[in-house]
Amino acid sequence: MHEPSKLHYAAAKRILHYLQGTKKLGIKYTKEKDSKLIGYTDSDWAGSIDDRKSTFGQVFCLGTKIISWSSKKQRTIALSSAEAEYIAATDAACEAIWLRRILSDMEHKEEGPTVIYCDNMSAIAMSKNSVFHGRTKHIELRHHFIRDLVQNGEIQLEFVNTKEQLADIITKAVAADKFSQFQEIMKITN
């Protein structure tokens, strides 16, 4: 706000163009049997040109219906793409636990772990193995919360190919065909 540049102006203009082009879109919800909570998490690495912090996104679906999504800048600077993805996965796991509690209050108890899809094998390995290697010592302790959730069977982090990563739509610019594909999957229609 104090020193806007041409890049900031271009980003703001892009957002306004996007909003203008999508103001008639909405999410279509239809009745569905046996819907299970699943999540997608993704992060760019050092995407902010101002402070080199990563942006992460998460998308949660109940069956095929999208029910929760967010995109935020991470609070800490990640030293690698695996660390950025690991931090994003931990935040997604916290959201999943919150959603599981809400669903339980609504008498829709989730059986088994909530699957969260991540497109980084190193982040998945870090979540499963508390002694993965010495290169994770610098990661803040609060980000290791996901390890307990995986060990307790509440969360299951699984690999998804980046071509099928729904959270991409809210973490980075995607090609028009991929954007349309994700819109269709998330039931975003006119």
Side-chain angles (χ1 to χ4, degrees), residues 14 18 25 40 42 57-59 66 69-71 162 164-186 188:
R14 181 180 170 141
Y18 172 78
L25 295 179
Y40 295 84
D42 193 33
Q58 57 196 18
V59 173
I66 184 171
W69 61 93
S70 71
S71 179
T162 193
E164 299 164 3
Q165 177 55 275
L166 284 182
D168 268 2
I169 199 168
I170 57 175
T171 56
K172 52 189 76 111
V174 294
D177 59 332
K178 192 172 184 181
F179 188 82
S180 296
Q181 173 193 356
F182 288 160
Q183 272 186 311
E184 188 175 316
I185 291 169
M186 293 189 288
I188 298 172

Side-chain angles (χ1 to χ4, degrees), residues 1-186:
M1 295 292 293
H2 298 290
E3 295 180 38
S5 68
K6 289 181 181 181
L7 290 173
H8 293 104
Y9 176 74
K13 193 173 174 182
R14 181 180 170 141
I15 290 168
L16 292 173
H17 281 280
Y18 172 78
L19 292 173
Q20 179 65 29
T22 59
K23 66 183 178 183
K24 293 183 181 180
L25 295 179
I27 301 171
K28 183 177 181 180
Y29 292 97
T30 56
K31 193 170 183 175
E32 194 174 284
K33 284 187 177 182
D34 301 327
S35 51
K36 191 156 174 57
L37 181 67
I38 59 167
Y40 295 84
T41 180
D42 193 33
S43 179
D44 70 351
W45 178 43
S48 173
I49 59 171
D50 294 329
D51 58 10
R52 306 309 290 164
K53 289 184 180 177
S54 304
T55 300
F56 74 95
Q58 57 196 18
V59 173
F60 283 91
C61 301
L62 191 58
T64 61
K65 299 173 287 298
I66 184 171
I67 60 166
S68 174
W69 61 93
S70 71
S71 179
K72 296 186 238 179
K73 189 186 285 191
Q74 291 178 348
R75 289 183 229 147
T76 56
I77 296 173
L79 300 179
S80 68
S81 60
E83 183 180 343
E85 297 275 0
Y86 183 68
I87 292 168
T90 300
D91 281 344
C94 291
E95 179 79 3
I97 296 302
W98 181 74
L99 288 169
R100 286 172 66 100
R101 288 181 183 151
I102 288 176
L103 290 170
S104 180
D105 289 347
M106 295 169 44
E107 298 181 8
H108 182 94
K109 185 154 175 68
E110 286 289 306
E111 299 297 327
T114 298
V115 175
I116 300 175
Y117 292 102
C118 174
D119 60 4
N120 188 290
M121 293 297 282
S122 294
I124 294 169
M126 282 190 274
S127 75
K128 292 179 180 175
N129 188 350
S130 61
V131 290
F132 184 62
H133 47 65
R135 289 183 280 175
T136 63
K137 289 189 293 186
H138 66 282
I139 298 174
E140 290 184 38
L141 288 176
R142 66 187 170 93
H143 299 305
H144 294 303
F145 177 59
I146 193 170
R147 289 180 181 166
D148 288 338
L149 297 174
V150 169
Q151 220 170 22
N152 295 341
E154 294 180 70
I155 298 295
Q156 183 176 338
L157 209 55
E158 290 189 11
F159 181 76
V160 65
N161 188 305
T162 193
K163 294 176 184 173
E164 299 164 3
Q165 177 55 275
L166 284 182
D168 268 2
I169 199 168
I170 57 175
T171 56
K172 52 189 76 111
V174 294
D177 59 332
K178 192 172 184 181
F179 188 82
S180 296
Q181 173 193 356
F182 288 160
Q183 272 186 311
E184 188 175 316
I185 291 169
M186 293 189 288

